[in-house]
Each structure stands twice: as C-alpha cells, then as structure tokens.
Amino acid sequence: MSVYLHEEVVVEILKRLPVKSVLKFKCVCRSWYALITNPNFISLHLAHAAESNTTFSLVMKYKQLDSKKPEFVLHSDNDSFSEYRQLDLHSFNECGNDVWIVGSCDGLICLCDTKFKRLIVWNPAIGEFITTSLSTICNGPYHILGIGFDRKNNSYKVMRIVFAWNDTTFLPFAEIFQLSSNSWKTVPIKNLRYDFYGSLIEWNGVFHRFADTHDGRKKMIASFDLSNEVFQEMMLPHALATIDNCYLSLTVYSRSLAAIHYEDRIRNTCNLTCSIWVMKEYGEAESWTKQVTVDFKDHGGLKPVLSFQGNGGILVENRDDELASYDPETQRVTPLGVSGRVLDDYSYVESLVLVKGKRNKNNQG
C-alpha cells in the first residue's frame, strides 16, 4: 500500500532536517529531487536553520604553534563548543597552507588560494564549488576580499577592493564577482581617496571597513552596498574618530554594526579592557552607543575578540593560546578545550545553497 504525502507536508518535514539527511532524500523520486533543489525550498531550509539557531563556529587555526598548515574546524555554537567536523581543503591545494578563508555567507565559504591566484566559493555541506582566477584581474598594491548576498538582485557576490597605502596617485577601485553569471566586473570608486584598514565586515548585503582620508584628517567607515554597487561614508562616534587604527576593529554585535575599542593593552598583544560601540539605528551616526565594557584585568589580559556566540558569550583567545568564552555579565572566562594559535573565527550555517543558484526573495530570513 502506497502512502501519499502532500508536498506541503513534505516541505515542513524536510526543512527541519540537517543538510546531510535532506541530501539522501533526493534519491527518493524525481519530484523530491526537484523539490529539494528548488530555490524556494533551499531558502525555506536556510531560514529555518537561522531561526532555530543551528549555527556553527568555523575556526581557522594552527594546531601547533610552529605549524605552517592551518586547520579549518567547525564547532557547535553552544556552551559545549564541541567539535562538529574538520573541513578538508586538500582537494583545493595539496599543501593546504596557501588557502585562506575570506568569509562565509549562508553556508558558502569563500577561499583565497594565494599560490595559484584564484578564488574558491565552496559549499562543503553539499560538496559544490566553483573557482575563478585572480591572475587576469587588474592588480594593485593591496587588496581585500569579502562575500555577501545582494538582496535586491537575489545574487551572491564576492567583492575585491584594490587600494594603495598613502598613495594619492592610485585611485582605489572595486571588482565584483557574481556567482550566478560566473563573471567579474570593475566598479570605480569616484572622488574617494581612502586608506583602508581592518577587517571587511558584511552586514545585510553591505560591506563595511574602516577608512582614513589620505591626509589623515578624517576617520570613518566606508560602506559598499552590493545592490546599487555604490560606496558611501558612515561617521564614527566622536570618541572613536581620533583613535589609533590598531586599537579599533569592526564587527557585528547583537544584530547591529559595531566597533570594538581596545582601551588598555600590554605587550602589544594582550588587552586588559575593551568597549563595544553599537550603531543602534543603521546609518544614523547619532545612534552610536557604548553598550558593553569587557574587563580582562582579572584574567591577565586576553587577545583581541574573535567573535560572538549565540549564547551571549564573547569568543576570545587567552595568553596560553587557548580558545575561551567570556561572559560579560559574570566576567568569567570558560576554557573551551581548543588549543593552538587561532587565526580567525566565522559564523557558519550548513545550507543547501547552490553555488550558482539563487535564493528565493520571499524567504530571505
């Protein structure tokens, strides 16, 4: 006796399953295959994963301090911070030490292969990836990369900013790689002469990075909207506008654009205190508020903040090169059992997003 399930029921069941389980059901029948690979379902599955906080921390680290080969490990984003699985990058580079993470977006991981001068966009959950060469693109003295989602045009994009330090003759420009068309294009940065610094932060389809004018008189955040592909300036709070670059970092905190100010530092590596400033109303300079002050004094100093956990903890690295979670309410530091020199940490969610596919506009989450 055959049992028929309405498609709505199938969708409600499958969207709650992990990616590995959903992939097995592609073999059930043609209609299920069509359903699981449909952009509408992929978007629903991704939205449910985000709502249920089924996220991971993607840690890039050196297991041994003298190692030249970084490891890429997924950890559960909860109190246990247990290891979920290690990502194998050997298929991209036999040596492995020339591949670096650029960023993560909706289950897609963007990698830069410095040895072969190429970009790799990879969905490790479904085993799909594409590559594009950097060698044929106009090169500049410095460049930064990031991956994000263009909500207006329903497309994933990689951005590359090319610039030069303290060189008024070199005008910075941006290059955009659109996954759906597998093509690059150049976007000029008109009338803006910046020195960029710090990490590139993507939030709601907009890239953000600290920038100075070449004369050093103005410090701001340069933003680049993936939808209209235009640069804009965002003002910093007056308290941060004149601070040295090495004491500031840009991040996302409590679903808002935020800046971290390291107020006390010892031996140029360990920090005693830092404050987190949040832009509560995006784009409104007056809404910058000092929301959290983190006190590391009782812990002998900690290295710069890596990221923020779903449970409210702040992911840091202590002086013994051990990963730990700092609770801003209790001011306790809890070791997470992860040793080795951590290079970076990214929020990651497993998804069914196709590398060349699109996300349904009606279910962006």
Side-chain angles (χ1 to χ4, degrees), residues 334-350:
T334 303
L336 298 175
V338 179
S339 60
R341 184 159 66 91
V342 176
L343 304 174
D344 222 328
D345 177 82
Y346 302 87
S347 178
Y348 174 80
V349 58
E350 287 191 325

Side-chain angles (χ1 to χ4, degrees), residues 9-57:
V9 177
V10 175
V11 168
E12 287 300 313
I13 295 173
L14 294 182
K15 77 176 187 181
R16 289 168 166 79
L17 299 178
V19 170
K20 186 176 181 180
S21 299
V22 175
L23 293 177
K24 293 179 180 178
F25 287 112
K26 289 170 64 175
C27 303
V28 171
C29 59
R30 290 182 179 179
S31 62
W32 280 34
Y33 178 89
L35 168 66
I36 292 169
T37 56
N38 186 290
N40 291 344
F41 175 76
I42 291 173
S43 184
L44 282 171
H45 187 273
L46 177 62
H48 184 270
E51 291 169 3
S52 59
N53 200 29
T54 313
T55 57
F56 299 90
S57 281

Side-chain angles (χ1 to χ4, degrees), residues 132 134 183 265 300 307 358:
T132 180
L134 286 171
S183 62
R265 180 171 291 182
S307 63
K358 292 189 174 184

Side-chain angles (χ1 to χ4, degrees), residues 37-308:
T37 56
N38 186 290
N40 291 344
F41 175 76
I42 291 173
S43 184
L44 282 171
H45 187 273
L46 177 62
H48 184 270
E51 291 169 3
S52 59
N53 200 29
T54 313
T55 57
F56 299 90
S57 281
L58 174 55
V59 178
M60 181 170 66
K61 66 170 185 173
Y62 288 129
K63 188 173 182 180
Q64 303 294 334
L65 296 183
D66 58 350
S67 174
K68 295 182 179 180
K69 179 181 177 182
E71 291 185 348
F72 304 87
V73 186
L74 289 174
H75 291 265
S76 299
D77 185 17
N78 52 33
D79 293 341
S80 71
F81 207 73
S82 58
E83 182 173 323
Y84 177 66
R85 72 182 177 105
Q86 186 167 332
L87 300 183
D88 184 5
L89 274 66
H90 287 89
S91 57
F92 304 127
N93 188 336
E94 291 183 1
C95 297
N97 58 324
D98 294 309
V99 177
W100 295 86
I101 297 177
V102 170
S104 172
C105 178
D106 294 345
L108 299 180
I109 299 174
C110 184
L111 306 162
C112 182
D113 185 341
T114 57
K115 182 177 181 179
F116 296 105
K117 295 182 180 180
R118 60 176 178 165
L119 279 181
I120 304 160
V121 181
W122 177 39
N123 184 335
I126 64 175
E128 263 193 26
F129 70 92
I130 59 172
T131 63
T132 180
S133 174
L134 286 171
S135 61
T136 58
I137 305 168
C138 178
N139 288 308
Y142 302 97
H143 73 267
I144 52 175
L145 295 155
I147 183 171
F149 182 69
D150 175 354
R151 292 173 176 266
K152 181 179 178 181
N153 299 299
N154 191 30
S155 177
Y156 292 94
K157 296 178 178 179
V158 177
M159 183 180 75
R160 178 181 187 233
I161 300 178
V162 182
F163 65 102
W165 288 103
N166 298 315
D167 184 353
T168 58
T169 64
F170 188 95
L171 291 179
F173 62 92
E175 293 171 322
I176 304 296
F177 176 70
Q178 187 164 304
L179 270 65
S180 57
S181 62
N182 196 26
S183 62
W184 286 89
K185 70 175 179 179
T186 301
V187 179
I189 307 176
K190 297 180 180 179
N191 303 320
L192 300 179
R193 296 176 181 268
Y194 289 150
D195 287 331
F196 294 95
Y197 60 92
S199 57
L200 188 67
I201 300 298
E202 188 271 341
W203 177 239
N204 285 340
V206 181
F207 287 111
H208 307 82
R209 202 178 197 217
F210 287 126
D212 284 336
T213 52
H214 282 317
D215 58 15
R217 294 180 180 179
K218 188 177 181 182
K219 185 190 302 290
M220 83 291 287
I221 296 173
S223 67
F224 182 85
D225 193 315
L226 283 175
S227 295
N228 56 31
E229 297 181 349
V230 172
F231 274 92
Q232 292 183 318
E233 295 181 0
M234 301 176 69
M235 299 304 296
L236 285 164
H238 179 72
L240 303 183
T242 57
I243 292 173
D244 190 279
N245 299 347
C246 64
Y247 289 94
L248 287 175
S249 66
L250 205 57
T251 187
V252 173
Y253 179 74
S254 295
R255 297 183 177 274
S256 297
L257 187 66
I260 303 177
H261 172 211
Y262 297 98
E263 301 173 15
D264 299 301
R265 180 171 291 182
I266 54 176
R267 292 192 295 278
N268 296 321
T269 56
C270 288
N271 304 283
L272 297 178
T273 61
C274 74
S275 56
I276 302 174
W277 290 71
V278 174
M279 181 180 266
K280 293 192 172 183
E281 297 293 331
Y282 182 78
E284 299 293 333
E286 298 78 11
S287 71
W288 281 105
T289 305
K290 183 190 284 192
Q291 187 157 325
V292 178
T293 298
V294 182
D295 190 347
F296 296 148
K297 291 188 181 73
D298 293 338
H299 308 286
L302 296 170
K303 295 181 181 179
V305 171
L306 288 167
S307 63
F308 303 97

